[in-house]
Amino acid sequence: MSNKKPIIIDGLQYCRWDRAYFESLKNSGITAVHITLVYHETARETLTRFAQWNHYFELYQDLIMPIRSSKDIILAITSERIGILLGAQNCSPIDDEIGLVEVMRQQGLLIMQLSYNNQSLLASGCYEQHDGGITRFGRQVISEMNRVGMIIDMSHSAERSTLEAIDLSSRPLCISHANPSTAHSALRNKSATVLRALTQRDGLIGFSLYPFHLPNGSQCTLTDFCHMIADTAALIGIEHIGIGSDLCLNQPQHVLEWMRNGRWSKTIDYGEGSSNNAGWPEPLSWFKNSTGMMNIYQGLLDHGFNQHECNQIIGTNWLNFLKKGLVAI
Amino acid sequence: MSNKKPIIIDGLQYCRWDRAYFESLKNSGITAVHITLVYHETARETLTRFAQWNHYFELYQDLIMPIRSSKDIILAITSERIGILLGAQNCSPIDDEIGLVEVMRQQGLLIMQLSYNNQSLLASGCYEQHDGGITRFGRQVISEMNRVGMIIDMSHSAERSTLEAIDLSSRPLCISHANPSTAHSALRNKSATVLRALTQRDGLIGFSLYPFHLPNGSQCTLTDFCHMIADTAALIGIEHIGIGSDLCLNQPQHVLEWMRNGRWSKTIDYGEGSSNNAGWPEPLSWFKNSTGMMNIYQGLLDHGFNQHECNQIIGTNWLNFLKKGLVAI
């Protein structure tokens, strides 16, 4: 590794945010993180989340700064603060109103999933039995997100919806956190068809470290993980690969339940878990927190990737994708 | 008048916005307008109003542009588009949540009244029998508005509340649209005590052209109006005086009723009107629309003000006030 500090970008985290955590992020050498602002919050509730983050940006301005544009990423790097990219894991922040895409972008929502696990007003989620593809409202929203420079994320959406979104969008999409279903079959993972379509349109996939998305779950080894990346790079090209760890540290059980249940179910939905395994999964021994990014770097080197390629995967691919994606047309 | 196009700023309008109206504004030579985004809309409803304005900014980008910072005012001037400053006539956009001050500022709400005619969560309105001054929440909001560069407007607030706000605020306030009560006694007009306190702290008053605020109502002459300005300038200094026309053109009756009644009254409140005079007041013959600003310019010249002073009153005083007021601390 050269002396130059590598760019490290994590394409998804949802941790409990406080000074101690931001300090640990800083110590890990991370450059920027896409964090989940909301799961199922309405437009109004999303404003309260923005207000909370504004307060973090005020309190912890020595450690973090908001990314609102491409230029801000560079500013975060030069000012040695962690760049925070706010994103939504569902389209709930726009309620049923097309004009709220631009309003939310203006407020600093940079990335939005068209659905979480369920059917949304825009697209089908990967847990639905029927995948109806992109809805009428969904088409309008894709076009508006393209216009204002809000990045479309299809991590939790179903296959047909994802393929249609890729086709309808005039700009590259991301799947911020998921793995290839060829490596581990799971509703949340993505087929080779999806990965090819995504990357033929210059999209990016962030590899997930969430045990439910990995072969052998919490026992997945770093070698297996790097092997999965190498296989995928051979299929779609290394420039389309990043990391989206899906790291959820220090969060209480009720946050997991909010993620999985929102307000839609009277009975508990266990998502990727089960009634016998209702809590957070056991973390990977080599990815317990953001310092794991450098374990991945080393693992990739050991696997035979060169330094440039390792840098691409742990950060510069995301950097290039974000720089282009955040510009309004 | 010199050949240089004068800066003309109207400190309040609430017209029906469409291409024809923006064209008429442009033809009037106006530089920038503070427009009312909301009267009593909640935070969520305010987002819909922002969305509507974003749509106007997209549709009519040849004529108008949003002002979000001091720099934008200069950009509006150089690009020869009308600068639009969005403001709220009540504090309803922040609901009961301190963090929404910054959220709304970020979205582009530049000016906010602490109350309309009634008691608000922050201050008493000028129609209340009891004026309790600035509330506990109000103190927090003043401090937060000061911090983020959102201008405090006390046009509709009661006397004690206004004096307390002036005292509590670390930055100058405006009364965007009202007249001195010495010229015309009305609950909405301001005492000499208020005007002195406001301007001793570098605040600004925009003189209103709304007939209910004027001596002789709709019959008020241009000469009387200029006389009123001259008397006030002698009292508080010309640099603290601008125009805030309160022009409401092409609006249907239900908009007037929303202004006056919001959701608070089961019976009709006529505001400054009465059951015999429930509609919009008859406009002034010399201020039927924004071209009236140049009538005022000429009237002031005829009254004995010099060109520099006329320019101050019709625009540059507002310009200087806004340039300073919109900067975050």
Side-chain angles (χ1 to χ4, degrees):
Chain A
M1 201 170 114
S2 74
N3 288 330
K4 206 180 150 205
K5 216 175 138 192
I7 303 284
I8 307 176
I9 296 182
D10 192 341
L12 199 94
Q13 289 195 10
Y14 186 59
C15 299
R16 186 160 151 185
W17 314 107
D18 52 25
R19 173 167 283 278
Y21 187 70
F22 291 128
E23 278 171 351
S24 78
L25 270 183
K26 174 104 179 171
N27 293 336
S28 77
I30 211 154
T31 310
V33 187
H34 165 211
I35 74 93
T36 295
L37 180 73
V38 294
Y39 275 100
H40 309 291
E41 285 87 341
T42 62
R44 175 62 187 83
E45 292 164 343
T46 300
L47 297 187
T48 295
R49 299 277 172 256
F50 277 118
Q52 287 173 332
W53 273 96
N54 283 339
H55 199 46
Y56 296 152
F57 292 130
E58 195 186 344
L59 287 173
Y60 312 128
Q61 57 191 277
D62 53 325
L63 296 168
I64 60 171
M65 63 163 279
I67 304 295
R68 296 208 173 90
S69 67
S70 299
K71 275 189 299 186
D72 288 337
I73 305 180
I74 308 307
L75 180 60
I77 294 170
T78 54
S79 66
E80 297 192 341
R81 285 174 294 169
I82 302 152
I84 302 289
L85 300 115
L86 301 177
Q89 295 232 21
N90 201 343
C91 58
S92 53
I94 63 165
D95 290 352
D96 60 353
E97 191 171 335
I98 187 68
L100 293 201
V101 174
E102 187 169 13
V103 163
M104 290 294 162
R105 178 63 181 80
Q106 173 74 23
Q107 197 61 234
L109 190 74
L110 306 185
I111 301 171
M112 187 172 80
Q113 291 194 46
L114 300 194
S115 76
Y116 196 61
N117 293 333
N118 286 6
Q119 177 69 41
S120 78
L121 295 182
L122 312 180
S124 297
C126 63
Y127 278 44
E128 289 290 353
Q129 285 208 301
H130 178 72
D131 176 6
I134 299 299
T135 65
R136 301 176 75 204
F137 183 33
R139 287 165 182 260
Q140 300 271 344
V141 170
I142 287 172
S143 161
E144 186 70 354
M145 289 175 78
N146 286 164
R147 185 178 73 83
V148 303
M150 187 189 284
I151 292 168
I152 298 169
D153 184 354
M154 298 305 281
S155 295
H156 282 256
S157 297
E159 173 121 350
R160 178 179 163 191
S161 292
T162 303
L163 291 170
E164 286 186 13
I166 292 165
D167 191 50
L168 288 163
S169 176
S170 64
R171 307 180 70 171
L173 282 65
C174 74
I175 289 171
S176 65
H177 59 303
N179 291 328
S181 52
T182 48
H184 176 64
S185 177
L187 290 170
R188 273 277 282 105
N189 282 341
K190 305 301 170 191
S191 72
T193 309
V194 163
L195 295 182
R196 264 192 300 259
L198 176 81
T199 52
Q200 275 165 8
R201 296 287 187 91
D202 241 1
L204 186 142
I205 177 164
F207 275 69
S208 167
L209 283 304
Y210 195 57
F212 289 128
H213 305 156
L214 290 166
N216 302 317
S218 303
Q219 307 310 314
C220 178
T221 65
L222 178 56
T223 309
D224 291 344
F225 184 78
C226 293
H227 204 85
M228 176 171 71
I229 289 188
D231 287 350
T232 313
L235 183 76
I236 61 173
I238 200 167
E239 67 275 22
H240 302 298
I241 292 175
I243 304 292
S245 73
D246 212 1
L247 198 63
C248 299
L249 292 178
N250 314 322
Q251 292 283 31
Q253 181 70 12
H254 71 80
V255 168
L256 186 65
E257 287 169 7
W258 171 242
M259 275 167 54
R260 290 174 172 172
N261 289 280
R263 278 177 282 247
W264 65 275
S265 177
K266 284 177 78 172
T267 54
I268 294 183
D269 183 86
Y270 295 101
E272 294 166 302
S274 63
S275 59
N276 299 327
N277 185 17
W280 298 99
E282 183 75 18
L284 299 159
S285 62
W286 46 274
F287 201 93
K288 290 191 170 162
N289 53 50
S290 292
T291 60
M293 295 295 270
M294 288 314 291
N295 292 336
I296 294 176
Y297 185 97
Q298 190 58 48
L300 292 168
L301 267 186
D302 294 345
H303 192 278
F305 289 98
N306 64 36
Q307 280 187 5
H308 174 69
E309 292 167 333
C310 295
N311 282 325
Q312 282 184 289
I313 292 166
I314 66 159
T316 55
N317 285 341
W318 262 123
L319 181 69
N320 295 331
F321 179 84
L322 292 167
K323 271 192 195 163
K324 278 184 272 181
L326 297 180
V327 178
I329 290 175
Chain B
M1 199 171 114
S2 75
N3 288 330
K4 208 181 148 205
K5 216 176 139 192
I7 303 283
I8 307 177
I9 296 180
D10 192 341
L12 199 95
Q13 289 195 8
Y14 185 59
C15 298
R16 187 160 149 186
W17 313 106
D18 53 24
R19 174 166 283 278
Y21 186 69
F22 292 128
E23 279 171 349
S24 78
L25 270 184
K26 174 105 179 170
N27 293 337
S28 76
I30 212 154
T31 309
V33 187
H34 165 213
I35 75 92
T36 295
L37 181 73
V38 294
Y39 275 101
H40 308 293
E41 285 85 343
T42 61
R44 175 62 187 84
E45 292 164 343
T46 300
L47 296 186
T48 296
R49 299 275 171 259
F50 277 119
Q52 287 173 331
W53 273 95
N54 284 338
H55 199 47
Y56 296 151
F57 291 131
E58 194 186 345
L59 287 173
Y60 311 127
Q61 56 191 278
D62 53 323
L63 296 168
I64 61 172
M65 64 164 277
I67 304 297
R68 296 207 173 93
S69 66
S70 299
K71 277 189 299 188
D72 288 336
I73 304 180
I74 307 307
L75 180 61
I77 294 170
T78 55
S79 66
E80 297 192 342
R81 286 174 293 171
I82 302 152
I84 303 289
L85 301 115
L86 301 176
Q89 295 232 20
N90 202 342
C91 59
S92 53
I94 62 165
D95 291 352
D96 59 354
E97 191 171 336
I98 187 69
L100 294 200
V101 174
E102 187 168 13
V103 164
M104 290 294 162
R105 178 62 181 81
Q106 173 72 24
Q107 200 63 43
L109 190 73
L110 307 185
I111 300 170
M112 187 172 81
Q113 290 194 45
L114 300 194
S115 77
Y116 195 61
N117 293 333
N118 286 5
Q119 177 69 41
S120 77
L121 296 182
L122 313 180
S124 297
C126 64
Y127 278 44
E128 290 289 352
Q129 285 207 301
H130 177 72
D131 176 5
I134 299 300
T135 65
R136 299 176 75 204
F137 184 33
R139 287 167 182 259
Q140 299 272 344
V141 170
I142 286 172
S143 162
E144 186 69 354
M145 290 175 78
N146 285 165
R147 185 179 72 84
V148 303
M150 187 189 284
I151 292 167
I152 298 168
D153 183 355
M154 298 302 283
S155 293
H156 282 255
S157 297
E159 173 123 351
R160 178 180 162 192
S161 292
T162 303
L163 291 171
E164 286 187 12
I166 292 166
D167 191 49
L168 288 163
S169 176
S170 64
R171 305 180 70 170
L173 282 65
C174 74
I175 289 170
S176 66
H177 58 303
N179 291 327
S181 52
T182 48
H184 175 64
S185 178
L187 289 170
R188 273 280 281 104
N189 283 340
K190 305 302 169 190
S191 72
T193 308
V194 163
L195 295 182
R196 264 193 299 259
L198 176 80
T199 52
Q200 275 166 6
R201 295 287 187 91
D202 240 1
L204 185 141
I205 177 165
F207 274 68
S208 166
L209 282 304
Y210 196 56
F212 289 128
H213 304 156
L214 291 166
N216 300 317
S218 303
Q219 307 311 312
C220 178
T221 64
L222 177 56
T223 308
D224 291 343
F225 183 78
C226 295
H227 204 85
M228 176 170 70
I229 290 187
D231 286 350
T232 314
L235 183 74
I236 61 173
I238 200 167
E239 67 276 22
H240 301 297
I241 292 174
I243 305 291
S245 73
D246 212 0
L247 198 63
C248 299
L249 292 178
N250 314 321
Q251 293 282 32
Q253 181 71 13
H254 71 80
V255 169
L256 186 64
E257 286 168 8
W258 171 243
M259 275 167 53
R260 289 173 173 173
N261 289 280
R263 280 177 281 250
W264 65 275
S265 178
K266 285 178 77 173
T267 54
I268 295 184
D269 184 86
Y270 295 100
E272 292 168 303
S274 64
S275 58
N276 299 327
N277 183 18
W280 299 99
E282 182 75 18
L284 300 159
S285 62
W286 47 275
F287 202 92
K288 290 189 170 161
N289 54 49
S290 291
T291 60
M293 296 294 269
M294 290 312 292
N295 291 337
I296 293 175
Y297 186 99
Q298 190 58 48
L300 292 168
L301 267 186
D302 294 345
H303 192 278
F305 287 99
N306 65 35
Q307 281 187 5
H308 174 69
E309 292 167 333
C310 295
N311 282 324
Q312 283 183 289
I313 292 167
I314 67 160
T316 54
N317 284 341
W318 262 122
L319 181 67
N320 294 332
F321 178 83
L322 292 167
K323 272 192 196 164
K324 278 183 274 181
L326 298 181
V327 178
I329 288 175

